[in-house]
Amino acid sequence: MTMVEINFDGLIGPSHNYAGLSHGNLAATRNAGAISRPRAAALQGIAKMRANIALGLTQGVLLPHARPNHRWLASLNTDYATASLPLKAQALSASAMWAANAATVSPATDTADARCHLTVANLVTMPHRSHEWRGTLAQLRLIFANPAFAVHPPVPAPFGDEGAANHMRIADRHDAPGIEIFVYGVSGGGFPARQRIEASEAVARGHRLDPARTLFVEQSEAAIAAGAFHNDVVAVANGPVLFAHEQAFADKAGFYAALHERMPSVQIVEVPASAVGLEDAITSYLFNAQLVTLPDETVALILPEEARANPRVWTWLQTMIAGNGPIRRLEVVNVRESMANGGGPACLRLRVVADPATIDPRFLVDDARLDQLAAIVETHWPEMIDPAAIGDTALIAQIERAHAALLDSIGLTRAEAVGLIDSLPSS
Ligand code: SUG
């Protein structure tokens, strides 16, 4: 059995638009009302997947959800034609693209029953995200149907859970037992703290983690107030390396001490606020990078272009690379369309450590599969969406045709496809 880290990227859906739905996500609110480019957005995401494959990484894909979500509107006793504009936007959101919010994942090495556990996030803090879970659960049950996995439904409301975006794992290697770190928020100044400790604790119990190797860490109020609506905007971990902003955590000293005690081999790369302030860290998405181990064991940071464009951030990165730290290589990707909604390279992916042979092969991608996906996007995805025009029936018909064409191309059985279209759990 070969356990590797697989990055499942959310394919950016045909309804990608800038509706300004996420209070506390500064990029999304700043771009509210702007014209989006769903086709370019999805192609940027595909190019990122291709670049990761070229680096020797194993790549998977999560499909966009059927939007508008008619089932959700029906549960609100309305339909798309008659719903208010805010409800239309919430039903139409392509936010499932940010796969880091799909679920929390604990590899088999960390769990009492030696299965890889996934708990779907409830995303209850934001209305447009709160209806993702059914589609995500249906899809994860398809992809991870093998008994090597346990896929759990979400923790109930009101305990907000935003999935892997608030979860980190430190381990000597991907296939070695790790320390799992759950980051929750208590207060966020004027912005909501989206991850509740009760949810993190419930996920950890469900995953049957060893309490001695599990940490619950509070995100700093300053970070949330500055726009870090998820921990993965101010910190990222991979293998034995934690890369974090100095102001990411409420009790940094206590957290670092607990981590060192449990994993003496941990290497912490901290960015001081004096070199990169929270504002620069958040606008550049320096920490929303994919921190990965390449096949030759080099640790690389896959950053958004916005990080290179910020002189303070880029200067700090150049100094880091010139030094002797564990992060040895920088790669830059263009995911501007997603970034404009507050989703960087790390938001777009869900990491799963598993044997690829246990995964439904329809959800693993190579260059040829990405060519097929790109062809569907080129043919069917709308070129532009003006959020003021989401009532346009021709646009909605195009979005629904695009999704149907994608499902057709994946080779799903009728029952599987119905599960994904109707967002019904498959069992
Ligand atoms: O939940 N943006 C997402 C971005 C999620 C980023 N994910 C991670 N950090 N892992 C959010 O705020 C914007 C949608 C809109 O405004 O139309 C949005 O939902």
Side-chain angles (χ1 to χ4, degrees):
M1 214 201 303
T2 331
M3 301 292 261
V4 296
E5 179 178 277
I6 308 168
N7 282 275
F8 286 85
D9 275 47
L11 178 65
I12 297 173
S15 68
H16 160 65
N17 73 98
Y18 301 122
L21 300 174
S22 274
H23 179 54
N25 170 343
L26 300 180
T29 40
R30 210 172 279 139
N31 288 304
I35 309 271
S36 68
R37 298 186 304 137
R39 195 181 303 163
L43 294 175
Q44 287 169 0
I46 290 172
K48 167 165 106 72
M49 290 191 246
R50 251 189 236 289
N52 286 357
I53 291 170
L55 289 172
L57 302 172
T58 307
Q59 186 67 50
V61 69
L62 298 181
L63 306 178
H65 295 191
R67 293 289 179 265
N69 188 340
H70 298 294
R71 180 188 166 122
W72 182 66
L73 289 171
S75 73
L76 291 162
N77 305 312
T78 186
D79 60 19
Y80 197 76
T82 44
S84 64
L85 197 59
L87 269 190
K88 275 192 176 66
Q90 289 161 4
L92 192 63
S93 177
S95 52
M97 70 171 82
W98 297 297
N101 305 118
T104 305
V105 186
S106 296
T109 44
D110 299 353
T111 67
D113 60 359
R115 292 202 290 167
C116 173
H117 286 250
L118 300 95
T119 297
V120 173
N122 62 25
L123 295 162
V124 292
T125 309
M126 299 288 157
H128 69 291
R129 305 216 62 179
S130 68
H131 59 91
E132 281 176 37
W133 70 268
R134 278 180 194 277
T136 302
L137 182 61
Q139 201 169 151
L140 296 188
R141 282 189 173 159
L142 262 184
I143 303 174
F144 303 106
N146 188 288
F149 301 95
V151 178
H152 304 274
V155 169
F159 305 117
D161 177 25
E162 305 260 329
N166 293 308
H167 176 256
M168 303 187 288
R169 183 170 181 268
I170 298 285
D172 285 323
R173 298 181 321 275
H174 291 314
D175 61 356
I179 304 297
E180 298 213 4
I181 303 155
F182 292 79
V183 183
Y184 61 90
V186 172
S187 173
F191 295 148
R194 296 203 207 175
Q195 182 75 36
R196 291 275 296 266
I197 188 169
E198 295 89 343
S200 299
E201 289 171 340
V203 171
R205 284 190 295 271
H207 290 195
R208 306 186 58 188
L209 299 178
D210 177 356
R213 299 177 67 81
T214 307
L215 294 174
F216 299 94
V217 176
E218 188 188 332
Q219 189 178 8
S220 79
E221 179 172 335
I224 302 174
F229 52 95
H230 290 134
N231 172 64
D232 69 2
V233 176
V234 279
V236 59
N238 172 66
V241 182
L242 170 66
F243 178 50
H245 191 269
E246 182 185 359
Q247 292 165 291
F249 308 107
D251 173 18
K252 178 185 84 167
F255 169 39
Y256 289 178
L259 198 50
H260 275 294
E261 191 189 312
R262 285 166 182 77
M263 180 73 73
S265 56
V266 65
Q267 292 171 272
I268 300 176
V269 179
E270 188 184 87
V271 181
S274 57
V276 177
L278 274 175
E279 195 191 324
D280 281 324
I282 289 163
T283 51
S284 70
Y285 264 33
L286 164 61
F287 296 96
N288 201 264
Q290 286 182 253
L291 187 59
V292 293
T293 307
L294 302 181
D296 68 358
E297 301 293 320
T298 305
V299 177
L301 196 60
I302 301 168
L303 296 146
E305 274 183 350
E306 287 76 355
R308 184 167 53 191
N310 181 310
R312 283 175 294 277
V313 168
W314 195 245
T315 302
W316 188 87
L317 284 166
Q318 294 306 313
T319 312
M320 176 192 75
I321 287 291
N324 214 11
I327 303 172
R328 303 302 324 145
R329 180 168 169 180
L330 305 179
E331 294 289 325
V332 176
V333 291
N334 171 11
V335 287
R336 281 189 188 283
E337 281 285 320
S338 169
M339 282 287 289
N341 247 341
C347 299
L348 286 164
R349 63 93 172 91
L350 182 69
R351 291 181 284 185
V352 179
V353 174
D355 177 355
T358 59
I359 309 262
D360 186 322
R362 294 172 295 185
F363 295 87
L364 293 176
V365 292
D366 55 13
D367 274 323
R369 282 294 319 286
L370 290 178
D371 288 345
Q372 287 166 3
L373 292 177
I376 291 165
V377 167
E378 300 263 17
T379 314
H380 295 284
W381 262 231
E383 196 185 341
M384 290 189 287
I385 297 182
D386 176 346
I390 60 171
D392 176 11
T393 49
L395 170 69
I396 300 307
Q398 184 184 4
I399 289 168
E400 297 196 313
R401 271 198 312 275
H403 187 257
L406 175 70
L407 289 195
D408 276 352
S409 77
I410 304 288
L412 301 170
T413 64
R414 206 179 149 71
E416 289 168 336
V418 166
L420 296 189
I421 293 165
D422 291 348
S423 301
L424 283 166
S426 58
S427 67

